[in-house]
Amino acid sequence: MNSKRPYKHILKNLFHEQAREIIPLLLPGYWVEQVLDVEMPDLKSTEMEGPPGELEQGLVGLALPEARVVNVYKTEWIEHSGNFERAYRVQHPETDKPTYLVIEFQTEREDEDLPRRLMSNYATVNRYAFKEVEREDKHEGTILHTAYYVYPAVLCPFPQAVPAPIRETFQGEVMLAFNFMIVGLWEKDAREFLNTHVSATYFLLPAMKNADATLLGLAIEELAQRFRGDDMELGRHLTGLSLLLQQSEIMSEEEKLAAQEHLKRFTHLIKNDPYEE
């Protein structure tokens, strides 16, 4: 990927740019071995002209006898879409198998499309991992394909709006099930993260337990020292912190207002639109 910032949303960029530092703290035991930019294929569907024919109706009728075909679409698989998602090959002490993480950052409380978006990313990274491990097997001269793991996860800052796994049934049968790991920021202790002095995680602090105005004030000062002379990067980190502060379901309104006082002298660096970088 040529672009350093592949995502439109600043929170996603802040996380994925610094994932090597953040992931081991959010998921103790995981260590990022390789950052992967995986090209996402695309499906382009075009509605066919004219009404559905007997063939289409008959084919659908085999599976769903009571269904009526309304429209027919021609679908094209576009292998090279030019769109990328970031994934991570990681190491974990409990396994020596190749392991991959696919992480979706929940940036809005109401994001009904998130589970399906993650499922799509998971499927593509799984396909990528299969090919990558297969190449390694051939290089090492093995015959049987080595097992590997791909773990989908959601980084969630909203304890009252946790994305639900996908479970779809038809006539009492489960037709589709997709589960994923929830990394709940509210379960993490802001004091412990501040004490690591890994400033890459500081924009996440407002969504963690034990976050208050005093703690955030210390984090803001540390960020100001870290990015002294680099207003653009300081502004990006403080913008991310400000966004999560506004959305925090952990901090009281009084603490939020007090924390905003620490941000006032940096107002000229903080952007209100998360899609503007």
Side-chain angles (χ1 to χ4, degrees):
M1 188 184 302
N2 295 325
S3 173
K4 179 184 177 185
R5 298 170 186 168
Y7 301 97
K8 294 180 180 179
H9 201 290
I10 189 172
L11 290 177
K12 290 185 177 183
N13 279 323
L14 285 170
F15 174 79
H16 286 289
E17 289 170 13
Q18 306 172 103
R20 283 187 183 273
E21 298 174 87
I22 297 174
I23 286 174
L25 294 175
L26 288 179
L27 298 170
Y30 285 86
W31 178 76
V32 178
E33 183 180 56
Q34 185 181 7
V35 177
L36 305 169
D37 290 325
V38 181
E39 188 168 20
M40 308 298 291
D42 196 10
L43 289 176
K44 181 180 179 182
S45 295
T46 307
E47 185 175 347
M48 303 289 286
E49 295 183 1
E54 293 183 1
L55 175 62
E56 288 84 5
Q57 185 63 58
L59 289 172
V60 172
L62 291 174
L64 303 171
E66 298 180 1
R68 181 173 66 88
V69 179
V70 178
N71 298 100
V72 178
Y73 294 86
K74 177 183 178 181
T75 301
E76 178 184 3
W77 175 272
I78 302 173
E79 182 71 24
H80 301 292
S81 66
N83 297 318
F84 291 81
E85 282 290 336
R86 194 151 283 181
Y88 306 95
R89 183 160 173 167
V90 299
Q91 291 184 355
H92 192 276
E94 294 183 2
T95 179
D96 59 355
K97 303 299 184 184
T99 304
Y100 300 80
L101 276 177
V102 187
I103 303 178
E104 181 71 26
F105 196 131
Q106 183 188 19
T107 58
E108 300 175 8
R109 293 187 82 262
E110 309 300 332
D111 186 356
E112 296 180 355
D113 295 332
L114 187 150
R116 290 190 179 276
R117 191 164 62 246
L118 178 60
M119 182 173 65
S120 175
N121 296 345
Y122 166 81
T124 300
V125 173
N126 195 78
R127 180 167 169 261
Y128 174 94
F130 179 89
K131 292 181 178 180
E132 184 178 68
V133 175
E134 189 175 49
R135 284 195 299 268
E136 293 176 3
D137 285 349
K138 289 179 179 178
H139 178 72
E140 295 173 2
T142 59
I143 297 175
L144 296 177
H145 185 71
T146 303
Y148 65 93
Y149 304 100
V150 181
Y151 295 143
V154 176
L155 181 58
C156 179
F158 309 112
Q160 306 303 320
V162 177
I166 297 173
R167 182 180 174 86
E168 296 181 355
T169 61
F170 180 73
Q171 295 181 345
E173 296 288 334
V174 177
M175 305 301 291
L176 175 63
F178 178 64
N179 299 313
F180 42 84
M181 174 170 43
I182 294 293
V183 183
L185 288 176
W186 62 91
E187 297 175 337
K188 309 299 180 180
D189 193 324
R191 299 171 302 186
E192 294 179 3
F193 278 72
L194 183 67
N195 287 337
T196 66
H197 298 288
V198 178
S199 59
T201 65
Y202 287 0
F203 75 101
L204 301 172
L205 293 177
M208 298 182 185
K209 65 182 179 182
N210 294 319
D212 57 25
T214 301
L215 181 143
L216 293 182
L218 294 172
I220 291 165
E221 288 303 319
E222 197 169 322
L223 285 170
Q225 292 297 319
R226 163 83 186 275
F227 296 109
R228 181 185 295 274
D230 190 347
D231 284 353
M232 181 176 291
E233 278 305 299
L234 176 59
R236 293 179 70 237
H237 281 259
L238 293 181
T239 295
L241 188 150
S242 177
L243 286 170
L244 284 181
L245 176 62
Q246 295 170 42
Q247 299 180 86
S248 176
E249 297 178 354
I250 292 294
M251 296 179 63
S252 68
E253 291 302 316
E254 292 77 13
E255 287 293 335
K256 287 184 183 183
L257 289 173
Q260 290 287 356
E261 292 296 315
H262 294 290
L263 289 170
K264 275 190 174 180
R265 64 189 176 100
F266 302 106
T267 301
H268 61 293
L269 300 178
I270 297 173
K271 297 182 179 180
N272 295 320
D273 188 345
Y275 294 96
E276 282 188 5
E277 283 216 69

